[in-house]
Amino acid sequence: MEVYTSDSSDTDSREQKTLDYGRMNLIDINLEDDLHSDAKISIKSIKDIEILLLNHNRLTRLPRTLRNFLSLRVLDLSSNCLRELPEIIGQLPLITLVAKNNQLTNESLPKSFIIKNQNSSLKELNLSGNMLTHFPEQVTELKNLRYLYVGGNQISSISKDIWRMQSLQVLSVGGNLLTDVPDSVGLLSQLQALVLCDNLIENLPTSIARLKNLKSLLLHKNRLKHLPKDILSLRDNPLVVRFVQDMSLNPPTLMELAARIVKTAGVSVEPGDLPQTILDYLSCANCCVNPQCKGVFFDNRVEHIKFVDFCGKYRVPLLQYLCSSKCIEHEMPTRPPTNGATRGYMMRKVLLG
């Protein structure tokens, strides 16, 4: 949950703006009475409350007094027994709304999360773990929404109007009944994380390769038999480019270079010939996994990703440690690649073996 931080840095001020009823085993009438109690009102003014925590109770409905929280920014309703979110939710200036793990259906959601004729301030919406059967169309109106979580429901398809949510950075729809993904997902230019795991997806649209800011793509536990070649393409795939850029090789130290020569040349070293710390270092040599290479490495290594066939149906990534990049140069073509193709070729070598 995105934590709301007020402009004030005073701890007492923040506490005055937070009303915490979490994990109190409250039912509806208890909460209604408590909000009207003189003890609470004497301490905090409802109109000044910015954070209201009602999580992990037994609420089946929200109190009518919720409409009086005119400054509310964060509302946590998670892990209750809620069967409805009232329309008043859309009239509150919320930044974060968490309603996961309840009993909400599509019909029990507000018709709109936006105050009429105003832009929504909502940046995070969590409806995971409910009873939704289709993607809630009203969320596509939330132009400023950054994080949307609707996992653990029974949603069978993603709205084709998802492209309207141009501020979206995280889209989590794992654990549903999705069979496909609309092409319009590829238009979410700010998307950084896409969670599609635990569904029934058989194919992915090639438009996903256009998500230039994507850093995380979760696809496990689906019915995918292959990935579109555009997604695996090394030219435009941001996941691959980021992965390769992170695999920078730092030059080995002089100590490692000397130790490699000692080990590969088979120089005999007896106790007392060298300081004990050097002897311990020499004993930590790792053999290069390339069968044609007799080299070793210590702290410095080349990480090589190779895809291998598994059961004749899948290509599984295998991480190998090599002593040098020269250990993968034996597959270089006889004609040297042009300068423009060098980087792409080396990326392909690293990722596809």
Side-chain angles (χ1 to χ4, degrees):
M1 181 175 71
E2 186 174 273
V3 179
Y4 174 76
T5 304
S6 66
D7 294 334
S8 173
S9 59
D10 183 75
T11 302
D12 293 336
S13 177
R14 287 199 301 270
E15 290 180 354
Q16 288 292 324
K17 295 179 180 181
T18 301
L19 202 55
D20 189 355
Y21 287 97
R23 301 179 184 276
M24 295 178 64
N25 202 31
L26 293 174
I27 57 177
D28 309 322
I29 191 169
N30 298 136
L31 180 59
E32 195 81 44
D33 291 344
D34 202 46
L35 286 174
H36 282 98
S37 68
D38 294 337
K40 286 287 184 183
I41 298 302
S42 63
I43 298 175
K44 303 174 180 180
S45 174
I46 283 183
K47 66 178 182 179
D48 295 328
I49 296 297
E50 297 180 354
I51 302 175
L52 178 58
L53 307 178
L54 301 175
N55 55 297
H56 292 85
N57 285 294
R58 292 187 294 161
L59 303 177
T60 59
R61 62 180 178 84
L62 293 180
R64 289 167 297 186
T65 49
L66 189 63
R67 69 180 69 248
N68 298 326
F69 288 79
L70 303 179
S71 300
L72 199 61
R73 298 291 184 267
V74 176
L75 178 58
D76 188 352
L77 306 171
S78 58
S79 300
N80 278 283
C81 304
L82 294 174
R83 298 171 185 169
E84 180 183 11
L85 287 183
E87 296 294 331
I88 187 61
I89 290 289
Q91 307 302 311
L92 299 174
L94 292 174
I95 291 177
T96 298
L97 173 59
V98 181
K100 63 181 180 180
N101 301 331
N102 280 284
Q103 300 175 22
L104 301 172
T105 64
N106 289 90
E107 292 71 23
S108 63
L109 296 180
K111 295 179 180 179
S112 177
F113 288 94
I114 299 179
I115 301 176
K116 189 175 182 180
N117 298 324
Q118 296 187 29
N119 290 326
S120 172
S121 59
L122 199 61
K123 294 181 179 179
E124 178 177 356
L125 176 60
N126 194 328
L127 297 173
S128 297
N130 280 285
M131 303 170 64
L132 307 180
T133 56
H134 55 272
F135 194 90
E137 292 288 340
Q138 55 268 57
V139 303
T140 61
E141 302 175 349
L142 302 174
K143 302 298 177 60
N144 295 316
L145 195 69
R146 297 179 184 176
Y147 315 101
L148 176 60
Y149 305 92
V150 288
N153 283 282
Q154 302 172 38
I155 298 173
S156 58
S157 63
I158 299 175
S159 172
K160 294 181 179 179
D161 290 331
I162 190 81
W163 64 269
R164 298 171 61 186
M165 306 175 71
Q166 285 300 305
S167 297
L168 205 60
Q169 297 178 13
V170 175
L171 175 58
S172 178
V173 288
N176 279 286
L177 302 175
L178 300 177
T179 56
D180 58 14
V181 179
D183 288 336
S184 53
V185 168
L187 299 175
L188 298 173
S189 58
Q190 301 302 315
L191 200 64
Q192 298 182 22
L194 178 57
V195 181
L196 298 171
C197 56
D198 293 286
N199 278 287
L200 307 173
I201 300 172
E202 297 183 359
N203 297 289
L204 288 177
T206 58
S207 61
I208 289 181
R210 298 199 298 265
L211 298 174
K212 302 302 182 182
N213 291 308
L214 196 64
K215 297 178 180 178
S216 178
L217 176 61
L218 302 185
L219 299 171
H220 57 277
K221 293 187 178 180
N222 275 287
R223 296 180 177 178
L224 292 167
K225 297 181 180 179
H226 66 277
L227 295 178
K229 63 180 181 179
D230 289 342
I231 295 179
L232 292 177
S233 170
L234 299 172
R235 293 169 298 174
D236 302 312
N237 187 349
L239 299 177
V240 174
V241 172
R242 181 177 61 88
F243 179 79
V244 172
Q245 289 175 344
D246 290 343
M247 292 175 58
S248 58
L249 174 64
N250 295 319
T253 62
L254 291 176
M255 182 175 180
E256 171 148 353
L257 290 174
R260 289 187 181 192
I261 293 175
V262 170
K263 298 296 290 187
T264 55
V267 178
S268 177
V269 180
E270 301 295 334
D273 294 344
L274 296 170
Q276 187 60 42
T277 55
I278 303 297
L279 294 176
D280 292 341
Y281 185 79
L282 288 171
S283 66
C284 295
N286 298 280
C287 295
C288 180
V289 298
N290 187 335
Q292 300 179 4
C293 176
K294 304 301 181 182
V296 298
F297 63 88
F298 294 85
D299 302 317
N300 189 279
R301 67 195 183 196
V302 173
E303 295 183 355
H304 174 234
I305 300 293
K306 184 176 183 179
F307 281 80
V308 297
D309 289 334
F310 179 73
C311 297
K313 294 183 178 180
Y314 307 100
R315 301 194 73 203
V316 180
L318 176 65
L319 177 61
Q320 298 178 327
Y321 296 145
L322 306 171
C323 67
S324 170
S325 60
K326 294 181 179 179
C327 292
I328 57 175
E329 288 185 352
H330 61 279
E331 294 183 1
M332 290 280 284
T334 56
R335 178 182 298 177
T338 61
N339 291 337
T342 300
R343 185 168 179 267
Y345 172 79
M346 290 308 299
M347 289 170 63
R348 184 174 290 104
K349 290 291 297 177
V350 170
L351 289 169
L352 302 180

